[in-house]
Amino acid sequence: MKILMFGRGVISTLYGWALEKAGNEVDFYVRPGRAADFGSSVDVDIRDGRASSKGKPVQENWPITLREDLEPDHDYDLIIVSVNHDQLDSAVDFLQPRVGGATILIFNNVWADPAAAISRLPREQVAWGFPGGGGGFDVTTLHGGFAKSIFLGDIDGSSRTDRHRVVRELFTKAGFSISDIADFRSWLWFHFILDAGIMVGWLRMGSFDALVRSRPALKEVVRLVREMIPVLTAKGGTS
């Protein structure tokens, strides 16, 4: 399959690496002028959780292909969008006239109503998912990893399309397992408030390691998430 990763962020790079290693052709779209900044390779220092629960260590210099343009008549089969939630509108604006025949996998958190957020894209070409990994860049080196499982979800019947099935098959063939989420709209919103609670705890404790080692701090995260549940309900979600 020919795949375009939208951006060269942590999630795009992690899963772009995994999908290319599984035999797919993977390119990265970056904003004009950014290809020279990123360079033609990534130093990968990650743990691949498809092999074991602890993750198989991987260290390599991975050559990548960057492109700064996307013509409407491109031949990509799949475009994977994993951006910050506040960048989704601009990503949709860019892709709307350039979708072509590709499936668009939205692979990030969304706080707006998901269907409304991508309404300018052909609904029948959109699939919904969420990664099971993360990390960060230390200059040119990607540190992080991913679990064996990814999440695929249904929003207004999206899981019943051929596009969804193609995405499912792609990740399954690449060695991932799939966790299916029936009400993906509510799941995304709950995940969003969960992240908010964790970030408050992280900031208060000074690091993620300090947070997970502190029982009182974790209890505070749980309390914060519970207090935000009414917000989720007010938006029409279920907890």
Side-chain angles (χ1 to χ4, degrees):
M1 183 178 289
K2 189 171 183 180
I3 302 168
L4 181 68
M5 311 300 293
F6 191 85
R8 207 224 62 176
V10 171
I11 297 301
S12 294
T13 307
L14 281 171
Y15 287 91
W17 174 85
L19 293 172
E20 185 178 277
K21 295 298 182 182
N24 299 285
E25 182 181 347
V26 174
D27 296 339
F28 292 83
Y29 169 79
V30 296
R31 294 191 304 272
R34 294 289 284 161
D37 296 334
F38 286 128
S40 59
S41 66
V42 178
D43 291 319
V44 175
D45 182 9
I46 63 173
R47 287 189 173 269
D48 181 349
R50 292 171 296 175
S52 70
S53 58
K54 292 183 178 180
K56 177 184 176 182
V58 177
Q59 291 183 319
E60 66 172 81
N61 180 263
W62 177 43
I64 60 174
T65 300
L66 302 174
R67 58 177 304 165
E68 297 181 342
D69 60 347
L70 183 64
E71 299 299 326
D73 60 348
H74 64 79
D75 60 349
Y76 289 103
D77 303 299
L78 175 67
I79 300 174
I80 299 181
V81 178
S82 185
V83 296
N84 293 331
H85 72 97
D86 57 340
Q87 297 174 319
L88 185 57
D89 277 349
S90 59
V92 169
D93 282 343
F94 177 83
L95 289 171
Q96 187 271 326
R98 300 173 175 87
V99 173
T103 297
I104 307 293
L105 173 62
I106 306 298
F107 206 49
N108 55 255
N109 226 336
V110 182
W111 183 239
D113 181 80
I118 56 90
S119 62
R120 285 156 292 172
L121 301 177
R123 177 179 169 183
E124 68 279 4
Q125 290 179 233
V126 175
W128 293 92
F130 198 85
F137 281 97
D138 177 10
V139 189
T140 61
T141 301
L142 173 61
H143 299 284
F146 49 79
K148 183 177 178 66
S149 182
I150 67 158
F151 303 89
L152 293 180
D154 184 85
I155 292 178
D156 302 334
S158 61
S159 68
R160 297 191 291 272
T161 67
D162 289 338
R163 306 278 183 161
H164 180 95
R165 286 187 284 273
V166 168
V167 170
R168 185 186 187 90
E169 183 176 329
L170 168 72
F171 279 94
T172 300
K173 285 184 175 180
F176 292 94
S177 61
I178 310 297
S179 293
D180 292 297
I181 310 296
D183 180 4
F184 206 51
R185 179 182 277 104
S186 294
W187 188 91
L188 284 171
W189 289 343
F190 180 80
H191 197 276
F192 201 101
I193 65 174
L194 176 62
D195 281 353
I198 290 172
M199 287 304 300
V200 170
W202 186 332
L203 290 170
R204 286 176 176 172
M205 296 302 295
S207 72
F208 183 74
D209 285 344
L211 170 62
V212 297
R213 290 172 183 162
S214 170
R215 189 175 182 86
L218 290 173
K219 285 185 176 180
E220 177 67 5
V221 168
V222 172
R223 184 187 68 81
L224 290 171
V225 171
R226 284 177 176 168
E227 290 185 351
M228 288 186 281
I229 292 294
V231 178
L232 185 153
T233 305
K235 285 171 67 68
T238 57
S239 57

